[in-house]
Amino acid sequence: MGLAEKTGKGTYGLQLQTIKSKSALTLWGQIWIAINTNNQRKFSVFQQQTQSYHFGEERMGLLSRKATCNSHGQDSSYFLGWQEYEKNPYHPLDNSKGIIQMGLAENQLSFDLLESWLAKNPDAVGCKRDGQSIFRELALFQDYHGLPAFKQALVDFMAEIRGNKVTFDPNHIVLTAGATSANETLMFCLAEQRDAFLLPTPYYPGFDRDLKWRTGVEIVPIHCTSSNRFQITASAIEEAYRHAQKQNLRVKGILITNPSNPLGTTMTRAELDLLVDFITDKEIHLISDEIYSGTVFSSPDFVSIMQVLKDRNLEKTEVRDRVHVVYSLSKDLGLPGFRVGAIYSNDPTVVAAATKMSSFGLVSSQTQYLLSVMLSDKKFRNYYIAKNQKRLQKRHRKLVSGLEKAGIGCLESNAGLFCWVDMRHLLSSNTFEAEMELWERIVYDVKLNISPGSSCHCSEPGWFRVCFANMSEDTLKLAMQRLKSFVNSTTSSNNKGHQESKNLRQESHIGKWIFRLSFQSFHDREQDER
């Protein structure tokens, strides 16, 4: 019996914290080295984790549990892929054999449009209004409610993206340092520790950090499958709700991303109606994370949850107060470094509480001023939205075409900065372990960092999120060439070295340790944390 089985930690292995003595940890580290003398990349990750363990044990009495716990989620394969990329980043001239970053949902396709506007509007950059400096005004302390001009420009931009089918009141918006802060702030406002939110799978891996780490809120997955294109069903929601109750968790709401990250699809009207009906019946909250709403590049059109409330004449009911929207300029405008996010809520208590909490993560007044001028330029605003969507559509087509040439399909999508790619036919078996083996080969051998579906809590092995908007067209072309060569070599032979490595991992069981958080079921994590 392997060590993972002895600890009773579930299919995907052992938490390092369960090894109580340093000597035992050292012993297993020696075994790891002996078994994996030719596999330094795994030992490197293992070594990092053992060092982290020693640090936590020795300083546990000096630091808080939050500082020393391992619940941040950064040892998910989603973040491990980033770490490997940072060690060996691709550069067309300086490191042409490096890892190409395809795990970062960043929109770099329309920087030229933004830079052109900035060149024509130097006053906005230079902290001037009508040619006069307002530097002092912006440099001094600003109230955490935010600049009125920016809040008005932001809600106008949000309405424009939604075809002006709905409007937003600037008094109901709370500015935050990005969508990460917005989602966490809503957790603090709506739930207590050990309360739960239901999330449809697959979902953005960062939610394990954003929603849970500091708040103590639990995530219960609503399992969606490829049989209906991963759409939400009534039975799936009910099953998740019952599962939470069995775990003695109080369900406070549902959180969705629309358009979906990682699927790259917009939710159907039927799904949105189903969600509204469910939260009405259960008297719980609904958070709609709509940070990709401006990236929809083809039909069907994006439907905001606020539009559903309007069409169903629910705007003057108590249901409206339990529906909240998260927005950001990181994806639609391609400005993640500016850290501009927002909460929109019709509940005055939520708005008041979130506003107070926003003092821990304010948007700088200089940033607000610059963007208020930019987003108030209606001609530019409309031009940017249309042009950016066309560029996303073109780049999306190039990725899909490249995948098809490599014999790989993907979920049909119409939004976002990524595709949900189907590599099930490349798995050695229909297991998450086989998915991780494939992912390792793609990262280390093919030199592409993509996100495995298990890191997104997908219930089916073999799906991967692949981003396309954070690189040049030439880099995307090279990535597809690498992937095609890999698929051809994989299908032409079983790759003897890969099979030997697989057998070795199966014998040792230790290879499962590294990627624990990506696969552990909700129940397994529940037991670990207790």
Side-chain angles (χ1 to χ4, degrees), residues 123 126-135 369:
D123 278 8
C127 299
K128 293 182 178 181
R129 184 189 297 126
D130 299 325
Q132 300 297 314
S133 175
I134 57 170
F135 175 78
Y369 176 68

Side-chain angles (χ1 to χ4, degrees), residues 85-105:
Y85 163 76
E86 289 168 0
K87 294 175 187 175
N88 184 25
Y90 167 80
H91 187 277
L93 300 178
D94 299 336
N95 191 20
S96 60
K97 295 184 179 180
I99 297 176
I100 296 175
Q101 174 63 289
M102 305 188 82
L104 177 61

Side-chain angles (χ1 to χ4, degrees), residues 38 57 90 126 147 173 184 199 220 242 328 377 483:
N38 295 319
E57 183 187 45
Y90 167 80
L147 300 181
I173 204 162
E184 184 188 55
L199 270 68
V220 178
R242 288 195 300 269
S328 161
D377 186 339
L483 190 58

Side-chain angles (χ1 to χ4, degrees), residues 32 36 39-48 440 444 501 505 511 514-515:
W32 179 265
N36 294 276
N39 202 342
Q40 293 300 314
R41 68 195 184 205
K42 291 187 184 63
F43 174 68
S44 175
V45 178
F46 178 79
Q47 191 175 43
Q48 290 174 13
E440 287 182 64
Y444 294 109
S501 176
R505 285 194 296 272
I514 298 174
F515 306 104

Side-chain angles (χ1 to χ4, degrees), residues 41-49 51-52 70 72-90 98-104 209 439 443-444 448-451 514-515 517-518:
R41 68 195 184 205
K42 291 187 184 63
F43 174 68
S44 175
V45 178
F46 178 79
Q47 191 175 43
Q48 290 174 13
Q49 293 195 0
Q51 290 171 348
S52 176
N70 195 29
H72 181 274
Q74 199 152 339
D75 53 351
S76 160
S77 51
Y78 174 74
F79 292 109
L80 288 174
W82 281 30
Q83 293 173 20
E84 293 307 310
Y85 163 76
E86 289 168 0
K87 294 175 187 175
N88 184 25
Y90 167 80
I99 297 176
I100 296 175
Q101 174 63 289
M102 305 188 82
L104 177 61
R209 169 201 63 197
W439 175 76
V443 172
Y444 294 109
L448 302 178
N449 177 40
I450 62 178
S451 304
I514 298 174
F515 306 104
L517 279 189
S518 296

